[in-house]
Amino acid sequence: MSVAPLRALPLERLRERSSSKWRTYPEDVLPLFVAETDFPLAPAISRELASLVERGDTGYTPPDPGLARAYAAFAERRFGWTVDPARVRSTCDVMMGIVEVLRASIAPGDRVVVTPPVYPPFYDCIPEAGGVVERVPLRDTGDGWALDLDAIAAALASGARAVLLCNPHNPTGTAHSRAALARLAEIADRHGAVVLSDEIHAPLVHPGATFTPFLAASDLAARVGFAFVSASKAFNLAGLKCALMVTASDERTAVVAGLPAEVEWRTGLFGARAAVAAFALESDVWLDGLRAALDENRHLLAGLLADHLPLARYRVPDAGFLAWVDLSAYGWGDNPATKIRREAKVAFHLGPYFGVEGAGHVRINFGCSPEVLREAIERTATLTG
């Protein structure tokens, strides 16, 4: 049964928001940079947050706010993945969880593999945890992106001790295949390394693609891996501060259980309760409507680029609401987002922030209305005249 696409809020309502997306640049700039979306909250989340405020329920997060059970039910429903609630622990956000688990899993100075172009905070969280970034870029297969498993194997063979995986990948939107993830697990196990999988975009995999949780890719993946999940991207809850660390083996569970109590105390009460509402069966209809809207927009963007910026190179992503677009053919420099923001009044994310592979690229957030997306591309196209 088809689901009606969710409708984004009008611009005049969105400009009343006080978040980073709407306060970083002046009102004459269309913001399509940071990963916030423009849709109304899921009704169950709105009700839960309003109820908390009405009661003055703004204290510390309790030991068991229901997160683990709610996520386990969500993972089973949405991904066919059986998660043991006893192996789930919360924290403030995905990157904080990665830092703390990485700190507990490597020695100072150990190298950690990342797969650029990749989410910019990856480059910062590894040094924060005492590690050193080892870059192993994605392979361009001609029609998509893939992990360079041979190069990752070489990095681990030469002493790297961990892989920080983005699954689905940001900014390319690649949903890594089960076979690739299983082979990555074999490589990590062979070299005594661990894999930390950021799966924050997992609920937003589009038709024609499949999300495979890293821990479910194989028995070895369950043995070597940690997963980090959150409702924050799919349900636009980044400001509420709640993420989950998930494990599937006794050894990895012991690592997470051994983290300082303060790691879990940093979970926000509003974030925890909002996440429980997001993961509830009631919110599935809203999530399906969001996915339908994003599915339309990812294809709309392809058509807009073909019509207005025909030299742009864009692969329709498997997941999420972020598009990785190569504008280097227009000669706008290594960081075209700067020119576009200054001259066309459209803010895209800065390609070089994702690694040297991002030269000439921008990341476009299409989690907006079709009208805003169309205007953004049409404004950008005026720079070609």
Side-chain angles (χ1 to χ4, degrees):
M1 184 176 67
S2 62
V3 177
L6 203 61
R7 291 185 61 83
L9 294 168
L11 265 178
E12 58 269 22
R13 285 285 308 281
L14 292 165
R15 293 202 182 278
E16 296 173 357
R17 290 181 172 180
S18 60
S19 64
S20 179
K21 183 173 185 178
W22 300 99
R23 289 293 181 266
T24 300
Y25 300 112
E27 286 197 4
D28 62 345
V29 174
L30 282 180
L32 286 79
F33 67 114
V34 71
E36 300 178 25
T37 56
D38 295 354
F39 300 91
L41 287 178
I45 295 174
S46 294
R47 287 196 305 272
E48 179 64 21
L49 293 175
S51 176
L52 289 166
V53 171
E54 183 180 7
R55 295 194 303 270
D57 194 355
T58 56
Y60 292 110
T61 307
D64 181 13
L67 275 168
R69 295 186 304 279
Y71 183 72
F74 178 85
E76 188 71 54
R77 257 188 351 263
R78 305 296 298 198
F79 312 134
W81 177 28
T82 300
V83 171
D84 181 353
R87 298 187 188 272
V88 178
R89 194 176 181 192
S90 71
T91 188
C92 178
D93 56 41
V94 162
M95 296 315 299
M96 180 175 290
I98 287 172
V99 168
E100 297 300 336
V101 169
L102 194 56
R103 199 194 316 271
S105 301
I106 64 171
D110 279 349
R111 287 177 287 125
V112 178
V113 171
V114 298
T115 56
V118 76
Y119 183 51
F122 277 22
Y123 300 109
D124 297 325
C125 75
I126 291 170
E128 184 180 349
V132 176
V133 173
E134 171 110 353
R135 301 173 67 264
V136 180
L138 293 179
R139 284 193 307 110
D140 184 340
T141 65
D143 58 1
W145 303 93
L147 297 169
D148 190 337
L149 293 167
D150 290 340
I152 292 174
L156 297 182
S158 70
R161 297 271 51 85
V163 177
L164 181 47
L165 179 70
C166 205
N167 177 42
H169 191 270
N170 173 6
T172 67
T174 303
H176 301 301
S177 71
R178 181 180 296 274
L181 296 175
R183 187 174 168 214
L184 175 62
E186 292 172 5
I187 292 166
D189 183 66
R190 185 186 318 139
H191 297 290
V194 294
V195 177
L196 290 77
S197 186
D198 172 357
E199 301 185 350
I200 201 168
H201 293 277
L204 299 178
V205 169
H206 300 302
T210 300
F211 167 66
T212 301
F214 179 75
L215 298 181
S218 68
D219 291 342
L220 279 180
R223 183 189 306 171
V224 303
F226 302 88
F228 302 84
V229 303
S230 176
S232 63
K233 285 294 181 284
F235 294 89
N236 207 42
L237 303 176
L240 297 186
K241 296 304 177 185
C242 177
L244 300 174
M245 302 170 286
V246 185
T247 50
S249 71
D250 290 346
E251 184 177 1
R252 305 307 162 205
T253 300
V255 171
V256 174
L259 296 176
E262 188 64 27
V263 173
E264 190 162 4
W265 268 105
R266 292 168 184 163
T267 308
L269 177 61
F270 276 32
R273 294 308 306 162
V276 170
F279 294 140
L281 177 62
E282 177 185 355
S283 293
D284 279 9
V285 171
W286 183 94
L287 179 58
D288 288 340
L290 173 64
R291 292 173 64 241
L294 298 179
D295 183 30
E296 289 188 354
N297 278 0
R298 67 181 178 138
H299 292 293
L300 172 63
L301 178 58
L304 290 170
L305 292 172
D307 290 343
H308 300 287
L309 293 165
L311 302 182
R313 296 181 65 235
Y314 161 64
R315 289 168 175 151
V316 176
D318 298 330
F321 51 87
L322 305 170
W324 188 235
V325 181
D326 183 357
L327 298 175
S328 56
Y330 287 100
W332 295 340
D334 286 347
N335 196 4
T338 300
K339 177 182 176 69
I340 294 167
R341 186 183 71 248
R342 290 174 179 167
E343 300 181 22
K345 303 299 183 183
V346 178
F348 298 140
H349 210 324
L350 309 170
Y353 276 25
F354 296 81
V356 296
E357 296 78 9
H361 290 66
V362 296
R363 192 190 73 177
I364 300 176
N365 177 347
F366 58 83
C368 57
S369 70
E371 294 78 15
V372 166
L373 186 59
R374 183 179 301 277
E375 182 174 351
I377 300 305
E378 289 177 350
R379 286 192 193 185
T380 303
T382 63
L383 303 182
T384 66

